[in-house]
Structures are given as C-alpha cells and as structure tokens.
Amino acid sequence: LHRPPPPEVVEAVANGWLPPSGRMIDLGCGTGEIAAWFAGRGYRATGVDVAAAAIAQAQARHAGLADTLDFVVADLCSAPLDGPPFDIL
C-alpha cells in the first residue's frame, strides 16, 4: 500500500514554507511513506514509530533510500532520540 504525502506537505515544500533541505523527523511514521518522500527529495529523513512491525515494513519497503533515510523503533514519551536537532517535524 503506497500512500502519497498529504497535499499540504507537498505544497509547503513547493512554496518554500519548509526549508529546501535539512534533517526531518516523521513521528508515528508507520510504514514510512512521508519520511521516504522527503528522503527522495534530498532531505536526511528519520522515521520513528513505537511499532517494531511497522518499522520493519518501512525498512524493507524503502531499502533503496538507506543512504538518506533511517527508521527507529522508539517510544518518544519515554526517552528522547540522541543526535543533532531536526529542521522539520
């Protein structure tokens, strides 16, 4: 199942409301379509979900973007992610 990003996300990138590059994080990413969309456009994307099964599917589905896309199983209510800050949430 492929779901395109919401039209408002596409419009925000196209109109320059969001930066044209940088680090983005997709919280509750599920199978990673939005994070993958950003990664395919040159962003350094991270998808986070509490569901390990969803992250496993996302990793398999978007393996071709492994250079610009990471997936993490995490409960962000319990602990923050390590690493530099993100430009887009």
Side-chain angles (χ1 to χ4, degrees):
L1 174 68
H2 173 75
R3 288 177 281 210
E8 58 271 15
V9 170
V10 175
E11 184 177 331
V13 171
N15 291 337
W17 191 82
L18 292 175
S21 64
R23 294 186 74 229
M24 72 80 62
I25 187 169
D26 181 5
L27 304 175
C29 70
T31 56
E33 285 81 11
I34 293 173
W37 184 84
F38 275 94
R41 281 151 186 80
Y43 293 81
R44 179 75 199 146
T46 300
V48 179
D49 205 293
V50 70
I55 293 296
Q57 288 179 12
Q59 290 169 327
R61 182 175 290 176
H62 306 294
L65 294 169
D67 290 344
T68 57
L69 179 59
D70 296 315
F71 290 106
V72 178
V73 176
D75 179 354
L76 297 177
C77 294
S78 299
L81 289 179
D82 292 330
F86 292 94
D87 304 304
I88 300 170
L89 170 66

